[in-house]
Amino acid sequence: MRIVVVGGVAAGMSAASRAKRFDPAVRVTVFERGATISYSACGLPYVIGGKVPGFERLMARTPEQMREQGIDVRLRHEVTDVDAAARTVTVLDREAGRTFTEPYDRLLIATGVSAVCPAWARTRLRGVHVLRDLSDGQAILASLPGASRACIVGGGYIGLELAEALRSRGLHVTLLEQAPEVAGRMLDRPYQRRIRTELERHGVEVRCGTAVEELTSQDGRVTTVQTSGGPVPADVVIVAVGVQPNVELARAAGARLGKTGAIAVDPRQATGVPGVYAAGDNTESTHRVTGQQVHIPLGLTANRMGRVAGVNMAGGDARFPGVVGTGIFKTFDLGAARTGLTQAEADRLGLRAVSVDVDSTDHAGYYPDAAPIHVRLTGEHGSGRLLGAQLIGPPESVKRVDVVAALLHGGGSVQDLFELDLAYAPPFSGVWDVLLVAADRLGRKLDEGEEAASDPHQER
Ligand code: FAD
């Protein structure tokens, strides 16, 4: 059995290792067009900001370690085409400049996503970057000496993490966001505003409702971002406006793309084209709360999809269980986390969703250093089903979102959450943890008549 994996990071290397472990007799070849495999892209902002001392700390496994496991890793090898009928891929060896054909019995397309690059950003100007992979991270870090002003375009979690990173390098940071608030795709409006306030508290100049028009430069280096709200001087510009799945090879293989634009797969990560699998950021998954296909490109999802694909390609039978839309990030002293649906997302889906907001402290109020924590809990009127949660507070405190994620995974109700036996001691929580308080209040709100329960004045 010959397994070919395209892409050597989270999904690809998880699949390769898992396949080899499942059946040591399979032959696994990984083609990676970049110069490294198996590193944590999630750690890039922390190296750029100086919290993690060097990019080498992000390396999980080296090609040599993989080769010792019997996995043939080929760096700087780009797969340029798939012939699904012949079961071959065309590979460009970028170093040697030669192209060859490689046969496979099972093929995994684990090619990730690319950063969206609007027309104004498609330039060769020095100082203009995206942050998608290790080489982008290295380029950003290399451009910082001598720079004093950074402009980040995009207020998603990567833009927010970079705002903190570049402030901690002493730069003046302007964050531009076209939408009315930052973190718009992750949180409801009142929680978005809290993130913005935290950025401003740490000296980030936030300009929402602002669109970039063009970049101006001098001697090949960017100097100014021209926006709908006027010019923003910048020595470094980082474009963080979203990602798009890399689906060219899937298309070439004849695989179907879903409504999200990512590759459609079954729970075994099979594309439907004989022998062809897909996993990771380029692939859709099923949202367990809505039953719909979604594209939520995140690290755990990519690793888990890769494991599932690896087992199946090696002859086993594993299933990807789906996701519940859990995410977490940190901005300066605030952590933000979400799972399931926000109120706004539930509204868009036409669900009869009801939310409560609870403002409390992350541990017992009388115990030293108690800090504010805010929880929005959302449930469904009629069924009592839990729909989602959003938390904002000290970074470690918002990881309690996992309790709600676990319940959502099993289709739990608001009452189920309220009944949980959660850990309590004053340094960790109030006797009634903030999640239990929220579940209690939401349960009572759901018990009221529908009209009383849905609050038209609550901000979505
Ligand atoms: P990738 O890691 O993108 O790997 C795909 C690989 O395929 C790439 O190395 C690429 O070079 C290679 N490739 C593509 N096309 C070809 C081809 N034709 N031939 C050969 N090779 C090819 N997720 C979280 O859950 N939490 C976080 O905090 C978090 N932070 C992040 C911060 C940053 C700055 C970034 C960029 C991402 C972050 N992520 C985070 C997302 C996480 O890194 C991804 O979900 C994960 O890396 C996806 O793994 P993947 O294997 O699907 O794709």
Side-chain angles (χ1 to χ4, degrees):
M1 167 80 73
R2 291 162 304 183
I3 294 176
V4 165
V5 173
V6 191
V9 191
M13 293 319 297
S14 297
S17 302
R18 208 66 199 172
K20 198 72 191 163
R21 208 171 311 156
F22 186 84
D23 180 359
V26 298
R27 276 175 49 195
V28 183
T29 306
V30 178
F31 293 113
E32 166 54 54
R33 70 180 171 196
T36 35
I37 56 154
S38 226
Y39 65 93
S40 167
C42 314
L44 293 172
Y46 306 103
V47 180
I48 293 168
K51 208 166 201 108
V52 176
F55 290 108
E56 62 286 354
R57 298 288 292 271
L58 306 183
M59 305 299 167
R61 279 169 298 179
T62 62
E64 293 68 38
Q65 285 169 324
M66 300 311 296
R67 285 177 196 130
E68 277 163 24
Q69 281 183 41
I71 295 167
D72 181 11
V73 175
R74 315 260 192 101
L75 298 178
R76 299 184 189 85
H77 279 64
E78 179 169 2
V79 174
T80 55
D81 203 2
V82 181
D83 183 337
R87 295 210 183 196
T88 59
V89 290
T90 307
V91 187
L92 169 67
D93 176 345
R94 287 173 140 190
E95 232 158 30
R98 79 186 172 100
T99 297
F100 61 95
T101 302
E102 182 84 9
Y104 67 82
D105 299 304
R106 302 278 182 274
L107 172 69
L108 177 67
I109 303 174
T111 48
V113 290
S114 298
V116 169
C117 215
W120 56 260
R122 279 179 227 132
T123 153
R124 294 194 154 275
L125 293 180
R126 289 196 311 281
V128 182
H129 304 274
V130 296
L131 179 57
R132 190 51 236 159
D133 61 24
L134 192 66
S135 61
D136 298 329
Q138 288 165 332
I140 292 173
L141 195 58
S143 74
L144 297 186
S148 61
R149 302 183 70 95
C151 179
I152 297 170
V153 185
Y157 78 87
I158 291 179
L160 297 172
E161 288 175 353
L162 279 171
E164 178 180 347
L166 297 181
R167 279 300 290 145
S168 62
R169 290 282 184 185
L171 275 79
H172 179 278
V173 176
T174 307
L175 185 97
L176 303 178
E177 169 57 58
Q178 201 161 359
E181 279 296 347
V182 296
R185 283 198 217 132
M186 294 174 277
L187 302 168
D188 280 334
R189 189 58 66 82
Y191 287 69
Q192 296 166 15
R193 263 204 302 274
R194 288 184 194 282
I195 300 292
R196 179 186 185 158
T197 305
E198 181 69 2
L199 291 165
E200 290 170 343
R201 204 168 72 82
H202 286 85
V204 178
E205 195 181 327
V206 183
R207 298 204 200 164
C208 293
T210 306
V212 174
E213 289 164 353
E214 60 171 343
L215 302 177
T216 46
S217 62
Q218 196 176 1
D219 302 329
R221 187 174 183 108
V222 68
T223 54
T224 315
V225 182
Q226 305 292 348
T227 79
S228 55
V232 177
D235 313 304
V236 177
V237 175
I238 298 177
V239 184
V241 296
V243 293
Q244 61 199 19
N246 294 328
V247 296
E248 300 78 11
L249 293 180
R251 271 213 192 95
R256 195 173 67 79
L257 305 186
K259 276 197 191 131
T260 66
I263 305 168
V265 290
D266 69 15
R268 301 180 77 248
Q269 301 299 137
T271 62
V273 177
V276 181
Y277 294 73
D281 276 8
N282 58 5
T283 303
E284 286 187 338
S285 54
T286 305
H287 198 298
R288 292 177 72 99
V289 176
T290 64
Q292 296 186 347
Q293 296 308 111
V294 289
H295 178 229
I296 307 179
L298 286 174
L300 174 60
T301 304
N303 277 280
R304 196 192 301 279
M305 282 181 172
R307 281 171 75 116
V308 169
V311 169
N312 292 330
M313 289 191 298
D317 185 20
R319 315 258 151 170
F320 184 76
V323 299
V324 292
T326 311
I328 191 165
F329 63 93
K330 173 182 162 307
T331 310
F332 296 99
D333 302 331
L334 268 195
R338 52 137 319 145
T339 188
L341 304 174
T342 62
Q343 174 72 47
E345 288 166 353
D347 288 347
R348 280 199 291 276
L349 288 165
L351 297 173
R352 294 154 72 201
V354 179
S355 293
V356 290
D357 292 306
V358 175
D359 301 324
S360 183
T361 50
D362 61 338
H363 53 256
Y366 57 79
Y367 189 85
D369 303 323
I373 183 168
H374 311 277
V375 173
R376 170 170 281 198
L377 195 67
T378 305
E380 187 177 45
H381 192 83
S383 69
R385 189 162 67 109
L386 195 56
L387 291 179
Q390 297 160 72
L391 286 87
I392 290 216
E396 15 6 292
S397 73
V398 299
K399 191 70 169 91
R400 49 170 49 89
V401 74
D402 288 343
V403 172
V404 182
L407 276 172
L408 288 175
H409 186 90
S413 68
V414 175
Q415 182 64 19
D416 291 332
L417 174 57
F418 178 65
E419 289 177 4
L420 288 182
D421 178 21
L422 299 185
Y424 158 65
F428 300 97
S429 74
V431 61
W432 290 94
D433 184 84
V434 61
L435 288 180
L436 299 178
V437 174
D440 184 32
R441 282 203 206 150
L442 182 57
R444 278 187 276 132
K445 201 165 171 183
L446 289 170
D447 285 344
E448 293 166 7
E450 181 162 8
E451 272 177 29
S454 57
D455 177 358
H457 302 298
Q458 186 168 44
E459 248 192 314
R460 300 330 220 194

